[in-house]
Amino acid sequence: TALAAMGVVFGDIGTSPLYTMKEVFGGHHPLPIDSDSVLGILSLVFWALTITVSLKYVLFIMRADNKGEGGIMALTALALRTANASPRVLWMLSALGIFGAALFYGDAVITPAMSVLAAVEGLEVVAPQLEAYVLPITVAILVLLFVFQRHGTAAVGALFGPLMLFWFATLGALGLWNVIQHPHVLLAINPWYALSFIVEHQGLAFLALGSVVLAITGGEALYADMGHFGRRSIKWAWFACVFPLLYLNYLGQGALILADPTAVENPFFLMAPSELLRVPLVLLATVATVIASQAVISGAFSLTSQAMQLGYCPRIRVKFTSEREKGQIYVPNINWLLLAAVIVVVLGFRSSSNLASAYGIAVTLTMMIDTLLAFVVVRALWHWSWPRAALFLVFFVVVDIAFFSANVIKILDGGWFPLALGLSVFVLLSTWKLGRRLLYEKLEQDTIPLDSFITSLEAGGPHRVDGTGVFLTANPDGVPRALLHNLYHNKVLHQCVVLLHVDVEDVPRVAEPERVRVEAFPAGFYRVFVRYGFKDEADLPQALELCAGHGLSFEMMETSFFLGRETIVTIPIARRSRMALWRQVLYTWMFRNADPATAFFKIPPNRVVELGAQVELS
């Protein structure tokens, strides 16, 4: 499992050596190349990896799992379980979680662009005349990467682990070769070098932090991918292999820069002891960055699927690319939007050094949100004392703020892009959530209680026809609008009437024996509750087969599914609404373009009857 984790979990952080030291000493705010600066930076990199990745994520936050699952959605779900919290506090926690999730999409655009571009720039080291081909080759690789997403990674996934293990072994070997030439760089593990560098070069050290943070980008992926491989496997792989080899490579780059200051142009590729090794190194780096990009793109698909299940995103088409692996999904709309954004970023920024200005701010903000949500979890769910929880918060937030504030100065240089993208996604997700709540409240106002309706049928009701009518409903205690419309227009009821309520819970998966619950009522009425986790695949016909064990059998060819099809009507400005007019327009557009429930729940289209109604969001 630890080997498999190599190909997914550590891809992003494992490709950081391609550009971190290059950016620190040769970027927009280059440091002077002397022993104090190099040892100071190497010390900062070591303690950044130790505090943020090892302590914060591997040893602390990865213990906050939601039935084995990690990631900001799972952490938000845990934080929202806070007992006795006011609605305002719960709203703030929810907004923090949504914003953190939205920032991930900015990371999913910049990571492939930055890492692949940095790898292909190795061609400039091999042959400077190839510089003009860097951008076209980068774009071609990225287009191929996104085009192949629809095939899934099941076929090549088995290669990812061994390839990344070979990559980390190469990182360690290159680092060791250069450290042997200048072993005194090993002193950088002493935190005194980091502290003295900060004290002596306050302004430069602050600017350098904005580049040092590149070494820990991808650290949050260790927590996000915990559900695939488990905390134990990730922890062993990190401490026993990835961390030592990764840092050995940084030490090697530092040793090379001290020996040859001109190496700052591209210290990673210049570490190769022979020019003959640089071409295979460029190819290996490109493969590693493609694997890292694959993991981030898959993460964006997974996050979109979770957001749909939790009601933050309209239904869009999701394809499952593997029959064996539940997590292997492909979301076509997200894939092509990401590709378009990645190409725009590559052509707009044109070099990994320029992109470094945009990279980091979204990651550091996400890490800060993780710390705040984790504080709520350790205080409210783990019942830590206030002093202990406060110590946890202060220690990690101080580090997060230091990195974030150093990246704030990059906003005008390109940092605005991931923030703008994240904010746009946040507006979409929060608008959909608010619109769904207002729509539900509006529909609930006009609902007739189910008990009263069934009682009224005993006194004589409409004509009953053979077969089963299944009515999807958001409110299991009321009569669905679709049922009332069918009764009003067709003047009939089926002999068996099933009110079907789907509930997505804040757990990753629901076991099959707990999937359905059936309640029988007089007059041939049944109420069926179907439960899914936020990582489960929704399949209603499959779920209804489980009802046979609860005394309710379905013959699909004699079953009709009735769905309400609401049309949202925008409220004029003159009338007050809890939703701003621009948000109403946005929600209406999202509502119209959402995939129908039939496709999302895998209901046979030829068994569906849709009954429409116009609704105003008040």
Side-chain angles (χ1 to χ4, degrees):
T1 313
L3 179 62
M6 291 277 185
V8 177
V9 179
F10 303 108
D12 192 357
I13 199 167
T15 51
S16 295
L18 285 169
Y19 42 76
T20 301
M21 295 295 281
K22 174 187 172 185
E23 186 58 27
V24 171
F25 290 101
H28 293 291
H29 305 288
L31 289 177
I33 298 171
D34 54 49
S35 182
D36 287 346
S37 296
V38 171
L39 289 176
I41 290 299
L42 290 174
S43 188
L44 281 171
V45 168
F46 177 80
W47 289 103
L49 289 167
T50 300
I51 294 170
T52 301
V53 183
S54 301
L55 281 179
K56 179 173 151 183
Y57 279 102
V58 178
L59 297 181
F60 274 99
I61 292 185
M62 280 177 64
R63 289 170 57 202
D65 66 299
N66 190 341
K67 291 196 173 180
E69 287 291 336
I72 196 157
M73 282 290 192
L75 189 60
T76 305
L78 286 174
L80 290 174
R81 292 180 193 171
T82 307
N84 305 319
S86 67
R88 186 175 182 82
V89 169
L90 291 175
W91 179 87
M92 286 175 64
L93 290 174
S94 179
L96 261 182
I98 299 170
F99 188 53
L103 287 170
F104 181 84
Y105 288 95
D107 195 24
V109 169
I110 292 181
T111 296
M114 176 83 173
S115 54
V116 175
L117 194 51
V120 178
E121 281 174 350
L123 290 172
E124 297 176 17
V125 177
V126 174
Q129 64 269 27
L130 294 176
E131 183 180 351
Y133 297 97
V134 168
L135 280 181
I137 291 172
T138 301
V139 170
I141 290 170
L142 289 167
V143 168
L144 285 173
L145 171 64
F146 280 93
V147 166
F148 275 95
Q149 289 301 313
R150 61 193 176 94
H151 300 293
T153 55
V156 292
L159 293 172
F160 285 2
L163 278 170
M164 288 307 292
L165 182 61
F166 182 64
W167 167 252
F168 283 112
T170 304
L171 291 184
L174 289 172
L176 184 62
W177 171 261
N178 285 273
V179 168
I180 288 171
Q181 318 294 321
H182 301 276
H184 71 283
V185 292
L186 291 168
L187 295 170
I189 293 173
N190 186 339
W192 173 251
Y193 286 96
L195 293 172
S196 61
F197 175 72
I198 291 170
V199 170
E200 290 175 24
H201 307 276
Q202 293 176 7
L204 278 175
F206 179 72
L207 294 173
L209 279 180
S211 299
V212 169
V213 77
L214 297 173
I216 58 171
T217 54
E220 72 284 1
L222 276 65
Y223 177 54
D225 292 314
M226 184 169 65
H228 294 289
F229 306 102
R231 176 174 176 251
R232 184 180 174 83
S233 298
I234 293 173
K235 184 171 76 171
W236 274 104
W238 172 252
F239 284 114
C241 177
V242 177
F243 188 10
L245 296 176
L246 198 59
Y247 188 60
L248 190 55
N249 190 267
Y250 285 118
L251 288 172
Q253 289 190 50
L256 176 65
I257 290 169
L258 281 176
D260 178 13
T262 61
V264 292
E265 289 178 17
N266 205 320
F268 178 81
F269 290 105
L270 291 169
M271 289 174 79
S274 163
E275 288 186 13
L276 293 174
L277 292 175
R278 286 174 192 164
V279 173
L281 186 58
V282 170
L283 293 174
L284 179 61
T286 304
V287 170
T289 55
V290 165
I291 293 173
S293 303
Q294 171 67 54
V296 175
I297 296 163
S298 298
F301 294 160
S302 179
L303 188 64
T304 304
S305 176
Q306 292 176 33
M308 269 191 284
Q309 294 282 47
L310 292 170
Y312 291 106
C313 174
R315 291 184 297 264
I316 53 179
R317 190 157 60 97
V318 175
K319 291 176 69 177
F320 289 79
T321 59
S322 172
E323 294 179 5
R324 290 176 288 111
E325 294 289 333
K326 282 189 173 182
Q328 295 275 339
I329 62 172
Y330 168 62
V331 186
N333 292 10
I334 299 299
N335 188 62
W336 304 125
L337 285 172
L338 285 178
L339 173 59
V342 167
I343 290 175
V344 166
V345 163
V346 169
L347 297 179
F349 286 89
R350 303 188 71 80
S351 76
S352 61
S353 187
N354 291 337
L355 255 173
S357 302
Y359 206 19
I361 192 157
V363 174
T364 51
L365 198 49
T366 303
M367 287 179 170
M368 199 184 303
I369 291 170
D370 282 344
T371 303
L372 295 173
L373 292 173
F375 168 74
V376 174
V377 170
V378 300
R379 178 73 189 104
L381 295 186
W382 297 358
H383 306 294
W384 283 18
S385 64
W386 272 110
R388 189 182 177 193
L391 187 64
F392 167 89
L393 179 69
V394 169
F395 179 67
F396 290 120
V397 160
V398 165
V399 176
D400 291 336
I401 288 174
F403 282 127
F404 176 68
S405 57
N407 276 277
V408 166
I409 59 173
K410 295 181 180 180
I411 287 178
L412 294 178
D413 292 330
W416 59 269
F417 178 80
L419 287 180
L421 188 59
L423 195 59
S424 301
V425 175
F426 173 75
V427 168
L428 289 171
L429 298 181
S430 57
T431 297
W432 182 257
K433 187 71 171 177
L434 175 61
R436 267 175 55 94
R437 181 166 63 82
L438 294 180
L439 178 61
Y440 176 76
E441 290 175 5
K442 181 67 176 177
L443 294 176
E444 202 172 16
Q445 287 173 9
D446 308 324
T447 301
I448 300 170
L450 180 61
D451 294 341
S452 305
F453 180 77
I454 294 174
T455 303
S456 70
L457 292 178
E458 294 174 1
H463 177 66
R464 307 296 288 258
V465 295
D466 292 339
T468 302
V470 178
F471 295 85
L472 268 70
T473 177
N475 177 13
D477 297 317
V479 181
R481 273 196 175 199
L483 192 153
L484 294 174
H485 280 297
N486 183 51
L487 201 56
Y488 178 75
H489 292 289
N490 298 324
K491 310 291 192 283
V492 294
L493 268 182
H494 287 79
Q495 289 289 358
C496 178
V497 177
V498 176
L499 306 188
L500 181 60
H501 175 71
V502 178
D503 189 25
V504 178
E505 303 188 357
D506 66 352
V507 295
R509 304 194 190 281
V510 171
E512 200 165 275
E514 301 168 11
R515 176 81 66 215
V516 298
R517 179 162 60 90
V518 178
E519 295 178 358
F521 289 84
F525 274 70
Y526 292 87
R527 188 160 58 187
V528 176
F529 295 86
V530 179
R531 300 169 61 222
Y532 290 110
F534 58 77
K535 295 199 82 173
D536 279 327
E537 178 184 358
D539 189 333
L540 285 185
Q542 191 180 70
L544 292 179
E545 289 177 11
L546 300 173
C547 293
H550 300 266
L552 176 62
S553 296
F554 288 87
E555 177 57 54
M556 201 52 65
M557 294 311 293
E558 295 179 7
T559 302
S560 297
F561 292 83
F562 291 83
L563 277 68
R565 183 74 169 178
E566 291 80 17
T567 301
I568 307 299
V569 180
T570 306
I571 298 177
I573 299 175
R575 289 168 55 192
R576 288 179 63 89
S577 170
R578 282 182 289 171
M579 197 181 224
L581 182 61
W582 66 269
R583 276 204 148 166
Q584 289 184 53
V585 172
L586 180 59
Y587 178 72
T588 304
W589 175 79
M590 294 168 75
F591 192 87
R592 285 174 184 161
N593 288 281
D595 269 18
T598 48
F600 185 75
F601 290 120
K602 296 182 170 52
I603 303 170
N606 60 339
R607 309 304 310 164
V608 174
V609 178
E610 289 191 342
L611 297 160
Q614 289 192 336
V615 180
E616 284 187 348
L617 297 181
S618 56

